Amino acid sequence: DWSYEKIVAHVEYQRGVLHRLRQSPLWIIACVNGLALGLGTELCLASDFVLASEQAQFGFPEKDWGIVPGAGGTAWAHGWAPHKDAAQAMIQTGERISSEKAQWLGIVDVCIEGEEFDFYVEKIVSWVCSIEPQIQIAKKQNHWKNISFEKWFEFEHKTYCEVLKNKPTKKA
């Protein structure tokens, strides 16, 4: 029941929150042991390290609502995904993908099989905590330096607004 303006403002807010996480000076680690759909997948895209269990699934169900991902997913698929065609297809179909396919698409860094997920989460967190903050900052800046977020977020915003304007409205 939200107005067009309220929806667009909310999606811009979500995009901004995730981008501030991406710009945070320290590393953001996402650990997925279940479903990461929509904003959950976009949170993974904004993280510096993503660890996923073999049970993890990722996807963009926005297609089912007649919209596109607006908090970084569309920008990623068109901008910095390593396999753009497959990333765009994931958005267009709403397909849920495994942690292995998510790793291939660049959403996940490490897939953990079996019951060792909690052990690896603990190890990764301990390892990151052992790294000096200045080193974390330098590595993070280097990781994201070649991506023009403003350009891709502008593209995503325009795409989201266009899709939203063309979305059929419910009739009473």
Side-chain angles (χ1 to χ4, degrees), residues 52-70:
S53 74
E54 60 187 354
Q55 291 84 23
Q57 291 184 6
F58 302 82
F60 294 107
E62 287 86 346
K63 171 202 150 290
D64 294 341
W65 303 307
I67 57 174
V68 295

Side-chain angles (χ1 to χ4, degrees), residues 31-45:
C31 301
V32 183
N33 191 19
L35 294 176
L37 302 176
L39 192 59
T41 297
E42 289 170 316
L43 174 61
C44 292
L45 293 169

Side-chain angles (χ1 to χ4, degrees), residues 103-124:
Q103 185 176 28
W104 177 77
L105 280 172
I107 299 168
V108 169
D109 294 295
V110 175
C111 298
I112 303 299
E113 294 182 17
E115 298 179 13
E116 298 182 357
F117 184 73
D118 292 340
F119 171 78
Y120 279 98
V121 167
E122 202 173 295
K123 289 292 183 191
I124 293 293

Side-chain angles (χ1 to χ4, degrees), residues 66-136:
I67 57 174
V68 295
T74 298
W76 161 77
H78 291 270
W80 65 93
H83 304 283
K84 289 177 183 48
D85 290 343
Q88 291 169 21
M90 180 182 165
I91 288 173
Q92 292 166 356
T93 64
E95 170 192 17
R96 286 187 188 179
I97 62 169
S98 68
S99 54
E100 291 82 14
K101 186 167 183 182
Q103 185 176 28
W104 177 77
L105 280 172
I107 299 168
V108 169
D109 294 295
V110 175
C111 298
I112 303 299
E113 294 182 17
E115 298 179 13
E116 298 182 357
F117 184 73
D118 292 340
F119 171 78
Y120 279 98
V121 167
E122 202 173 295
K123 289 292 183 191
I124 293 293
V125 170
S126 295
W127 172 70
V128 169
C129 289
S130 73
I131 299 172
E132 292 293 323
Q134 297 81 2
I135 294 171
Q136 286 189 39

